[in-house]
Amino acid sequence: GVNTERLIDYVVGPTDKMYMVTTFIPGDCLCDVWEGFTASESVKNRLVSRLRAQIGAIRKQTATHNRIICNTSGEVINNPRIPWVIEDDPKTFTTSKDFFDAVWPGIESAYLLEDLRSKVRPYIERNNVPTVFCHGNIIPKNSILPGGLERCRTFLSTVCIIDWQTSGWMPPSWEALKATWLCTTSDDD
C-alpha cells in the first residue's frame, strides 16, 4: 500500500549515520509543483488523499504496543530535525508521553500558533498509544510524482514517498505533529 523507491542496499557509517542506495523514480518533486495547483483543482486533494492512504496502510500493518520508540534499526533516535535530543541524550523511549516530553520542548513557544497548540497538546499528552512505523518527514520535497505532473493530472500515476532516512518506530501522531514545526501561518498547507 506504499509507493516508494526500492531499497538496493544500505550501510551504516562510522558515526552511526545510515546511507541508503535505492532505485530512482523519474518525475516531478511535489515541492516544485505544489504552488502551481489552483484551489479548485482536484489533483491537490487527490494527492493528499493518496498520501494519507499510504500512511494509513503503514500504520495498519505495523501498529503494536510491544515495541520501543526508536529509529528504524531499533537504535536511538537521531533525527536531524530534533537536534536537542541528539545533543542532550540520544535514546529510545518506552512511552509516547516520554517521547513527546523529550522532543517537543517548543509546545509553549510563541512561534506555535495558539490554535495549533490547542490541537497539538492532546496528542502529546496521551498515554497507551501504539507504536507504528513512520516515515518521519512527510513534506512535499519527499514526494515524487512519477512521470511528472501531467501524468498525475491524467490519473496515470500516483505519488511516491521517498527519503526514508528519518523513519522509525514512533507514536502515530508523529507525522502530523512534526509537520506542525513547518507551519508558520494559520493558512499553511
Side-chain angles (χ1 to χ4, degrees), residues 79-143:
N79 188 311
R81 292 204 190 250
I82 49 174
W84 53 92
V85 173
I86 298 167
E87 293 164 2
D88 293 344
D89 183 20
K91 58 183 143 192
T92 60
F93 300 90
T94 55
T95 70
S96 67
K97 178 128 177 46
D98 291 343
F99 171 71
F100 284 123
D101 284 346
V103 302
W104 207 275
I107 190 67
E108 298 303 331
S109 296
Y111 76 87
L112 188 61
L113 303 171
E114 186 54 45
D115 60 333
L116 189 55
R117 182 184 352 266
S118 66
K119 291 175 185 172
V120 167
R121 189 179 302 283
Y123 291 100
I124 291 174
E125 295 174 351
R126 286 177 45 195
N127 282 313
N128 198 28
V129 297
T131 300
V132 298
F133 191 72
C134 288
H135 177 273
N137 202 15
I138 298 287
I139 56 176
K141 77 173 190 168
N142 290 333
S143 302

Side-chain angles (χ1 to χ4, degrees), residues 14 19 76-77 90 100 132 156:
Y19 299 90
V76 298
I77 295 169
F100 284 123
V132 298
L156 294 174

Side-chain angles (χ1 to χ4, degrees), residues 133-163:
F133 191 72
C134 288
H135 177 273
N137 202 15
I138 298 287
I139 56 176
K141 77 173 190 168
N142 290 333
S143 302
I144 298 287
L145 304 177
L149 177 59
E150 291 313 310
R151 188 169 167 88
C152 177
R153 279 190 167 127
T154 58
F155 297 89
L156 294 174
S157 72
T158 188
V159 61
C160 292
I161 302 170
I162 63 167
D163 190 8

Side-chain angles (χ1 to χ4, degrees), residues 28-32 34 47-48 51 55 79-81 135-145 159-166 174-183 189:
D28 290 332
C29 185
L30 192 55
C31 68
D32 295 334
W34 189 255
L47 290 171
V48 169
L51 283 169
I55 298 304
N79 188 311
R81 292 204 190 250
H135 177 273
N137 202 15
I138 298 287
I139 56 176
K141 77 173 190 168
N142 290 333
S143 302
I144 298 287
L145 304 177
V159 61
C160 292
I161 302 170
I162 63 167
D163 190 8
W164 292 80
Q165 72 184 32
T166 59
W174 178 235
E175 301 281 16
L177 292 175
K178 190 172 175 199
T180 64
W181 288 346
L182 304 175
C183 293
D189 283 342

